[in-house]
Every structure is written in C-alpha cells, then in structure tokens.
Amino acid sequence: MIRLVGILVGLGFTLVVLLAFVTGAYTAATDDAAETADHVFHLAPKEDVSYAFEGPVGHWDIAQLQRGYKVYKEVCSACHSLNLVAFRNLAGLGYSEAQIKAEAASWQVPGIDPDTGENVSRPGEPTDYFPSPYPNDVAAKAANGGKAPPDLSLITKAREEGTHYVHSLLTGYRDPATFALSNGESLTEEFPDYEVPPGTYFNPYFPALAIGMPPPLTSAGQVTYDDGMDASIDQMATDVSAFLTWTAEPMLIKRKQTGWPVLGFLLLATLLAWFAKKQVWAPVKPRKD
C-alpha cells in the first residue's frame, strides 16, 4: 500500500512539473517580449567609410596607418594596452630601423634594476612590446569604475564588423535627450523613463547603449598629423580604426596577395584534370543498350 501511494505521488509530481514546463514553453513561444531601449535603439556599425585594405585587391595605406598609430599613442594608450604588438612590428608601417629605435625609446616600459632587483621603468627597445598604462589589472579596474579597459591588439577581430564598429563607436556618442533614429523614433518619446546609468555615456553603437569610456576624441585637431592631414574627429576615428585592423591582422594584405596565385593554380589544375580525363577516356565508346 505504501509503495502504491509513493508511486502515485511520484506520478502526480511528474505531471505537475511536465504541465509547468509545457505552459512555460508555450508562453515563451507565443508572448511578445517587452521591448527595451537597448533592443530598439541599438545601431549596427556604420559602413559609410571605405578603407584601402578592403576588397580582394586591397592594400595598406601606410600614411593612414602611421596617422592611426599617432592617434593610438596620443589618445588611446592612456587607457588601452596593445600587448600583442612589439615596437619592431612598426616596420610594417614603413618606419626605418632608426625610427623604430627612437620610437621605442620614447616609451617607458617595465624593467628590473640589475643592481637591486627592484621594478623600474626604462626606455623601450625594439624587442619590447607596447606597455600597459596600468601596472596590473587591479589598478586598471580601480581607475575605471571596476572594469579594466580591453586590450586593443585584436579588438577588430573580437567585434563583428570590427573596423567599422571601432569607427562607429568612436564617433557615436550622442545626447540621449535628443537622440532619434533615422525613421524619426525618439528615445525619450518611446522610453520616457530611460536614464543613462551613472558613470556611463550614451552611445547607440554599444550593445547596452551606455559605455563606461568617456568620448576619447573630443575635438578637431586633438592630434597633429605629421603629413598635414586635417585631424577632424571622423578622420582620427577612421585612421585609428585602420591602425587597429593592422594590429589585429598584419598579414591581411599578404594573405590576399597569396590567394590570387592559389586560385590561378587551382583553375589550371582543374583544366589539366579535365583535359586528362578527355584524353584517357577518348578511346572508350559509350555502350548502346
């Protein structure tokens, strides 16, 4: 009798769980999810900027990469590291050996005093990697509201539409009180209670609409280009986006250049195989049933 009661109780419990699961699944499948501000007003990266390295026959614009490096050095390096890139890699931007040595020496990198063994800072050498602006992750988090700024070495590979994402993000800071989509939808009209969280900045190209990084490019002429190019905010964002694409994929152009001979070889091999097949099977006549 006790065993029968236990079986009935178990079956009843199972039916209740199954009913709750089916009901929840049906509700989730049929009910419309409540729209949120970040769902409606989050924008995909703009693609209105063209880069020389795009397309099957793209190439690096060396002048642009050098300008982008200067933007990184004078603006982005205050918070963001580039720890997968060594100073010697700057040879890919057209710098000579002497220029690379001078550039490396203009940076302070962590070192060790050979006499005392204490941690010190010393001028960089071509074999050194770009230093982090913070001594460790704890210091980076403490200086940035609890979240360390990401390393930028591979940032364009880590984000969808990476190059355009970086450009859009840098130029995308807006006032939420006046922000509206191209179709006229206003953020404040659709979501009157929306507020930017304290310590963050409104940017519709960031997934949560609010980003902890203050606008890094604040005014034209913030960086003085050596080649005399007008340093507008859009130009600086374009140049540093191109530079970060190079840091993430320094072999991008060489890979494209290698691809064309490979495609040509495959085409030739296909033609040779087709002619060989015709030659081998030429004496063989089709059977008539």
Side-chain angles (χ1 to χ4, degrees):
M1 184 66 179
I2 296 177
R3 180 178 298 178
L4 179 60
V5 172
I7 293 174
L8 292 176
V9 171
L11 288 175
F13 178 78
T14 302
L15 289 174
V16 170
V17 171
L18 182 61
L19 180 62
F21 174 77
V22 172
T23 303
Y26 176 79
T27 301
T30 56
D31 286 0
D32 294 330
E35 290 187 334
T36 59
D38 57 338
H39 176 259
V40 177
F41 288 90
H42 174 241
L43 301 179
K46 297 179 294 183
E47 297 186 16
D48 55 349
V49 177
S50 59
Y51 294 88
F53 53 79
E54 294 179 320
V57 293
H59 64 278
W60 292 125
D61 183 340
I62 297 300
Q64 182 179 59
L65 297 183
Q66 291 184 359
R67 294 194 302 267
Y69 167 62
K70 191 163 189 178
V71 175
Y72 167 76
K73 180 181 179 180
E74 297 186 13
V75 180
C76 308
S77 65
C79 298
H80 295 276
S81 59
L82 204 64
N83 58 28
L84 297 182
V85 182
F87 293 111
R88 64 181 175 218
N89 298 137
L90 293 177
L93 302 188
Y95 291 107
S96 66
E97 183 177 349
Q99 289 175 315
I100 292 174
K101 288 182 178 179
E103 188 61 36
S106 70
W107 292 73
Q108 291 293 310
V109 301
I112 298 177
D113 190 311
D115 298 322
T116 64
E118 296 180 348
N119 293 327
V120 296
S121 294
R122 60 171 176 80
E125 299 177 355
T127 53
D128 291 318
Y129 286 78
F130 281 88
S132 171
Y134 305 102
N136 50 60
D137 285 343
V138 176
K141 292 178 181 179
N144 293 277
K147 188 173 183 180
D151 178 78
L152 297 183
S153 304
L154 302 175
I155 194 66
T156 59
K157 295 288 288 181
R159 302 291 186 271
E160 186 176 359
E161 299 292 337
T163 305
H164 295 286
Y165 169 79
V166 172
H167 177 271
S168 298
L169 188 73
L170 291 175
T171 59
Y173 289 86
R174 300 286 188 273
D175 181 358
T178 59
F179 178 71
L181 299 178
S182 58
N183 61 7
E185 285 187 90
S186 169
L187 174 65
T188 53
E189 291 179 0
E190 293 291 326
F191 300 92
D193 297 331
Y194 176 80
E195 293 182 0
V196 180
T200 63
Y201 303 83
F202 181 77
N203 192 318
Y205 296 99
F206 195 70
L209 300 185
I211 184 173
M213 178 177 70
L217 303 176
T218 56
S219 60
Q222 190 172 344
V223 173
T224 302
Y225 286 142
D226 297 331
D227 61 3
M229 175 70 74
D230 180 34
S232 64
I233 291 179
D234 186 77
Q235 185 65 54
M236 289 186 289
T238 301
D239 293 340
V240 77
S241 300
F243 170 70
L244 294 177
T245 301
W246 173 81
T247 64
E249 297 185 90
M251 305 302 291
L252 173 65
I253 301 305
K254 184 170 289 188
R255 188 171 71 246
K256 290 182 179 183
Q257 292 173 342
T258 303
W260 286 110
V262 170
L263 289 175
F265 170 79
L266 292 176
L267 178 60
L268 178 61
T270 301
L271 291 174
L272 291 175
W274 184 78
F275 283 120
K277 178 258 182 186
K278 296 287 288 184
Q279 182 69 24
V280 170
W281 290 95
V284 180
K285 295 182 179 180
R287 187 178 63 181
K288 295 182 181 180
D289 295 331

